[in-house]
Amino acid sequence: MEQVKGLEYSELNAEELVAFIEVRAKLNAIKEERNCRRDTICIWGDAGIGKTEIVKGLKDRGFKVRAVNPAQMEEMGDFTGLPVEEYRDVHQCKKCGAIYENNNITKCTAKDCKGELKETQLGTTVMLPPAFIPKESGPGILLFDDFNRADIRIIRGTMQIWQDYGSYAWTIPKGWTLIMTANPEGTDAGYIVTSMDPAMLTRLVHVALKPDVKAWARWAENAEVDTRGINFLLKNEELATNGNRTNFRTWTQFFDFTKHFVPKIPTVKNPKKDVFDIKKLDEREMEVINFIYRHGCGSIDKECVTQFIMFVAGEAELIIEPEKILNEFDDKIRKHLQLMGEE
């Protein structure tokens, strides 16, 4: 799949991506033992298909996860840290100015000096690392989210971090793997992103995420998303990522609304014998449909809103629990789905 013009990367589903990250994290651990540089992963993919959520979900697989959005950074100082002075007690010769950190010395040992020493403090400028840089050891994931939406100055300035896992002022602790997410480049992709040159790209290990409805459905069920919505996308996978506005993120946004504000959509009693016809609805039922439509169009394409309403209104009696579809796809459920698909 071409995410950067002229380059193609492996396209993985959600489960494959998790396995890919775990292997690269293990490889980084091996490289650390050999004092070699760790690899940084870049996950490419369209907006709203779950890149960030998949990475954050690795905390359930034993990883600590920290995330930062580089596009929010205005200056490289946001990455290198804040300069502060640290002071330590020393002795200084009153005569020649020589510094001694050994408190047992009472006179200057410089040749032909032998001057008296006085107690003083010596200041040194050090850099305090940013708060998002972990202090504890891993296993962990440090996520630079939507990385190629950052200004080119930030991208250039952080190249050392991708490669060396640190800056001149601090180091990312052992056991951590750096992951970046990015949207595709090029005018055809439609994203306002910063292009990266070969010197940048070759510092990264690349992979692309493809939409995975079943993986989203498993996540959605755990997140208690509207069951009707999960059923709808399992039945209509082609609508999961449809156009510029409709993706898993915006569908979830819409289903949050339907779950809490639309407990019931007007339906027909027997969808096998009577096709749903909006003209048959009374005034109160039409208000419900318009209510759903107005809010739905705020998140997803209007055609998708219409398809969802038609699905729930016309097939509500045949809807099965998503868990059964995902985990118990037996003959009975297969017949159930076939019945839903018949016109």
Side-chain angles (χ1 to χ4, degrees):
M1 181 179 185
E2 189 175 277
Q3 302 288 338
V4 179
K5 189 174 182 180
L7 299 176
E8 292 188 1
Y9 307 128
S10 298
E11 191 175 25
L12 308 181
N13 62 29
E15 292 179 356
E16 292 169 338
L17 177 60
V18 169
F20 181 91
I21 293 172
E22 289 179 329
V23 168
R24 303 306 301 200
K26 290 177 182 177
L27 178 59
N28 277 346
I30 294 172
K31 289 190 170 189
E32 284 178 327
E33 294 298 321
R34 299 173 57 192
N35 293 319
C36 297
R37 289 172 174 168
R38 287 172 273 179
D39 294 327
T40 295
I41 303 169
C42 185
I43 304 172
W44 297 86
D46 286 315
I49 61 173
K51 300 184 298 296
T52 302
E53 290 301 320
I54 289 171
V55 175
K56 289 183 176 180
L58 290 170
K59 64 184 179 181
D60 296 328
R61 301 180 73 89
F63 289 90
K64 303 166 188 173
V65 179
R66 292 198 176 190
V68 64
N69 194 322
Q72 296 176 352
M73 306 300 183
E74 289 291 334
E75 302 292 341
M76 269 310 299
D78 295 330
F79 275 96
T80 56
L82 183 70
V84 296
E85 272 204 306
E86 286 186 350
Y87 293 91
R88 63 184 187 277
D89 294 329
V90 296
H91 288 83
Q92 186 176 25
C93 178
K94 297 179 181 179
K95 185 177 179 180
C96 70
I99 300 293
Y100 296 92
E101 298 192 43
N102 187 342
N103 293 330
N104 295 324
I105 297 176
T106 58
K107 288 185 177 294
C108 181
T109 59
K111 187 177 181 180
D112 301 326
C113 181
K114 306 300 182 183
E116 296 290 329
L117 301 183
K118 63 177 181 179
E119 293 183 357
T120 186
Q121 287 189 321
L122 182 66
T124 305
T125 300
V126 298
M127 302 295 290
L128 291 180
F132 60 81
I133 298 301
K135 296 179 177 62
E136 71 280 9
S137 60
I141 301 294
L142 178 58
L143 173 63
F144 285 3
D145 201 20
D146 287 330
F147 182 76
N148 62 343
R149 291 185 179 272
D151 187 88
I152 186 62
R153 296 177 302 108
I154 300 299
I155 294 179
R156 288 171 179 164
T158 54
M159 288 171 66
Q160 182 191 7
I161 299 175
W162 321 342
Q163 183 166 303
D164 297 336
Y165 269 67
S167 72
Y168 67 86
W170 48 261
T171 302
I172 297 174
K174 285 187 175 183
W176 287 78
T177 293
L178 180 57
I179 296 179
M180 306 192 302
T181 62
N183 294 133
E185 295 181 6
T187 54
D188 293 341
Y191 296 104
I192 302 175
V193 296
T194 303
S195 295
M196 295 194 289
D197 62 37
M200 298 172 180
L201 294 170
T202 52
R203 283 172 164 79
L204 306 169
V205 175
H206 301 269
V207 66
L209 175 66
K210 61 183 178 181
D212 185 342
V213 174
K214 289 184 175 60
W216 173 85
R218 292 187 183 94
W219 170 87
E221 190 172 22
N222 290 331
E224 298 183 351
V225 172
D226 192 338
T227 302
R228 297 167 297 183
I230 302 174
N231 271 284
F232 173 73
L233 288 188
L234 286 171
K235 173 72 166 46
N236 300 277
E237 293 190 15
E238 72 282 359
L239 296 179
T241 53
N242 183 66
N244 293 327
R245 294 184 57 226
T246 305
N247 54 47
F248 293 138
R249 179 163 54 216
T250 54
W251 274 118
T252 303
Q253 194 178 72
F254 174 51
F255 296 149
D256 285 341
F257 158 74
T258 60
K259 177 178 179 178
H260 294 288
F261 289 95
V262 189
K264 186 177 181 181
I265 294 177
T267 63
V268 293
K269 292 183 178 179
N270 190 342
K272 279 294 292 177
K273 298 180 180 179
D274 193 2
V275 177
F276 175 76
D277 187 352
I278 198 169
K279 295 178 182 179
K280 296 180 180 180
L281 301 180
D282 59 30
E283 184 176 348
R284 184 188 60 81
E285 291 172 329
M286 277 302 302
E287 286 180 1
V288 175
I289 297 298
N290 289 331
F291 179 63
I292 299 169
Y293 193 78
R294 283 193 299 270
H295 286 271
C297 289
S299 299
I300 58 179
D301 295 309
K302 60 182 182 180
E303 294 83 1
C304 292
V305 180
T306 302
Q307 290 291 329
F308 173 75
I309 293 173
M310 297 289 288
F311 172 81
V312 177
E315 302 177 346
E317 295 180 358
L318 296 174
I319 289 178
I320 355 175
E321 289 298 316
E323 184 179 2
K324 293 182 179 179
I325 298 176
L326 292 169
N327 301 328
E328 303 173 13
F329 199 82
D330 55 18
D331 290 337
K332 184 177 179 181
I333 293 176
R334 185 175 289 104
K335 291 177 181 177
H336 217 90
L337 290 176
Q338 289 173 350
L339 182 61
M340 291 173 68
E342 291 179 5
E343 297 182 354

